């Protein structure tokens, strides 16, 4: 049974996305969907959109094998109250597969389940999350992360990606693919989360470092060291790094790598250029280095992304 843990003002899509995946996957597997909404206080729970769902209490969760904690823009006290945290810890100790969508990662982190583990959350919360939970190995570029029986996913629709991966684990890849087709979504989404969106925003005219990033994008075959970027921005290296991190929530080196990955992905998927040439033109130089960057960002190699693009 799948348990979906909600609280007042939860994000409806965080719950509805995984529910739809498990419903369709169960249909293809020839079994009845077994999904239960849970909350510390049973009864009607109002989402941030105003839509209400009816939740069961924690006492009705003995048969649950997967627990998914949803997120919300602002977590209420109930999301991290002692009762909720004790329940989440208990489920993890029982060997239940525990997961989070979006800011639901804060609940898992507060319960201590993410200490020393890899995890992700919505990109907007990266800096705050790292500051609040330094023991967590946050991977902000990932759509979802699995570390043992603890899973976490990025913002909102990433819950669908996480649920599809779980469906593949439960029912096999073919059912997961059929489920994705039925829902008209990617079976394996070819993209990291937020920071790509954030860099696109920074390239807008209003972004302080927009012109710099636009310049960097046109010179990806150059080294683009912090010193190079600071000189282009007309700032000292130290001041530039502080200002860049404060505005973009990313280090200059990470931002450049994301630009390289973004451009390399576009070239890999839309052209027939040799992978070695793409790596050279986008500043990775070594194809193996580009391959490792793709796996970190997308969970797939450049060759896999190219095959998927040609198939679609």
């Amino acid at each position: 049974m799948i348990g979906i843990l909600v609280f007042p003002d939860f994000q409806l899509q965080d719950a509805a996305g995984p529910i739809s995946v498990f419903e369709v996957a169960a249909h293809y597997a020839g079994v009845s969907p077994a999904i239960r909404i849970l909350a510390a206080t049973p009864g009607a729970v109002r989402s941030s959109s105003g839509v209400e769902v009816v939740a069961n209490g924690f006492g009705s969760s003995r048969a649950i094998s997967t627990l998914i904690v949803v997120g919300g823009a602002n977590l209420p006290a109930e999301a991290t109250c002692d009762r909720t945290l004790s329940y989440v810890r208990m489920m993890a100790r029982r060997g239940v597969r525990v997961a989070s969508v979006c800011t639901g990662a804060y609940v898992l982190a507060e319960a201590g389940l993410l200490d020393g583990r890899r995890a992700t959350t919505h990109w907007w919360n990266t800096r705050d999350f790292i500051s609040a939970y330094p023991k967590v190995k946050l991977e902000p570029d990932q759509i979802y992360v699995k570390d043992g029986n603890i899973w976490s996913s990025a913002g909102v629709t990433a819950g669908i990606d996480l649920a599809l991966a779980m469906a593949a684990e439960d029912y096999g890849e073919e059912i997961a693919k059929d489920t994705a087709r039925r829902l008209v979504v990617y079976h394996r989404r070819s993209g990291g989360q937020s920071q790509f969106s954030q860099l696109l925003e920074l390239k807008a005219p209003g972004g302080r470092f927009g012109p710099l990033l636009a310049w960097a994008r046109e010179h990806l075959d150059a080294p683009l060291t912090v010193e190079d970027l600071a000189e282009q921005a007309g700032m000292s290296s130290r001041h530039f790094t502080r200002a860049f991190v404060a505005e973009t929530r990313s280090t200059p080196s990470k931002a450049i790598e994301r630009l390289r990955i973004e451009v390399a992905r576009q070239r890999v998927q839309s052209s027939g250029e040799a992978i070695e040439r793409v790596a050279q033109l986008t500043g990775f130089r070594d194809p193996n280095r580009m391959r490792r960057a793709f796996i970190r960002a997308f969970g797939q190699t450049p060759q896999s992304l190219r095959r998927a693009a040609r198939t679609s």
Side-chain angles (χ1 to χ4, degrees):
M1 179 179 290
I2 308 296
I4 308 291
L5 178 55
V6 301
F7 42 77
D9 291 326
F10 73 96
Q11 165 61 246
L12 188 63
Q13 183 62 45
D14 287 2
I19 287 172
S20 296
V21 170
F22 291 118
E23 174 196 357
V24 175
H27 167 76
Y28 280 118
V31 299
S32 298
I35 305 166
R36 180 166 292 171
I37 304 292
L38 302 167
T41 303
V45 182
R46 185 183 179 88
S47 70
S48 58
S49 67
V51 175
E52 294 184 340
V53 298
V54 178
N56 296 277
F58 294 156
S60 62
S61 58
R62 293 174 183 252
I64 286 176
S65 57
T66 296
L67 177 69
I68 298 178
V69 182
V70 304
N74 297 296
L75 296 183
E78 185 174 307
T80 54
C81 69
D82 289 342
R83 190 168 181 219
T84 298
L85 297 180
S86 295
Y87 173 72
V88 171
R89 292 187 196 106
M90 177 194 71
M91 297 299 277
R93 284 196 301 269
R94 281 173 41 184
V96 168
R97 185 171 56 183
V98 178
S100 63
V101 179
C102 195
T103 54
Y106 280 79
V107 179
L108 302 193
E110 196 65 27
L113 299 187
L114 299 182
D115 287 356
R117 291 182 183 270
R118 297 165 48 246
T120 193
T121 187
H122 193 289
W123 66 268
W124 183 256
N125 300 95
T126 297
R127 184 166 56 177
D128 178 70
F129 192 93
I130 290 173
S131 175
Y133 305 105
K135 295 181 180 179
V136 180
K137 299 175 183 177
L138 192 71
E139 297 187 0
D141 289 329
Q142 296 301 308
I143 291 176
Y144 70 87
V145 171
K146 175 188 177 185
D147 192 328
N149 69 320
I150 308 297
W151 300 54
S152 54
S153 63
V156 195
T157 57
I160 294 175
D161 298 273
L162 176 140
L164 283 169
M166 288 181 168
E169 190 174 85
D170 294 344
Y171 304 117
E173 286 289 339
E174 288 306 311
I175 285 181
K177 288 179 182 178
D178 290 341
T179 300
R181 291 192 194 100
R182 179 74 173 269
L183 295 175
V184 198
V185 296
Y186 286 109
H187 171 230
R188 287 282 187 270
R189 189 157 27 146
S190 59
Q193 58 152 336
S194 65
Q195 276 71 6
F196 294 111
S197 300
Q198 186 181 27
L199 286 171
L200 290 174
E201 289 173 9
L202 288 170
K203 284 180 280 184
R208 178 181 179 184
F209 292 106
L212 175 65
L213 288 168
W215 173 84
R217 189 184 179 98
E218 297 302 316
H219 297 82
L220 290 179
D221 57 340
L224 297 180
T225 63
V226 171
E227 291 73 22
D228 294 333
L229 297 172
E231 182 180 356
Q232 183 67 22
M235 304 165 71
S236 70
S237 297
R238 188 172 181 181
H239 178 53
F240 166 72
T241 300
R242 284 201 304 265
F244 192 90
V245 171
E247 178 161 330
T248 70
R249 296 176 180 157
S250 169
T251 65
S253 59
K254 279 289 186 184
I256 294 303
E257 181 177 71
R258 288 171 193 134
L259 279 177
R260 294 191 200 281
I261 293 172
E262 178 186 333
V263 174
R265 176 181 60 83
Q266 292 170 353
R267 298 185 82 113
V268 163
Q269 292 183 312
S270 63
S271 77
E273 290 178 301
I275 298 298
E276 292 77 8
R277 178 161 176 74
V278 174
Q280 190 70 26
L281 292 174
T282 54
F284 283 107
R285 308 294 181 190
D286 181 1
N288 288 328
R289 181 183 167 199
M290 187 173 82
R291 182 178 185 275
R292 290 192 296 272
F294 268 55
I295 291 173
R296 285 196 303 271
F298 310 129
Q300 299 185 63
T301 64
Q303 291 86 348
S304 296
L305 286 178
R306 173 167 283 176
R307 283 195 297 269
R310 288 175 175 173
T311 299
S312 62

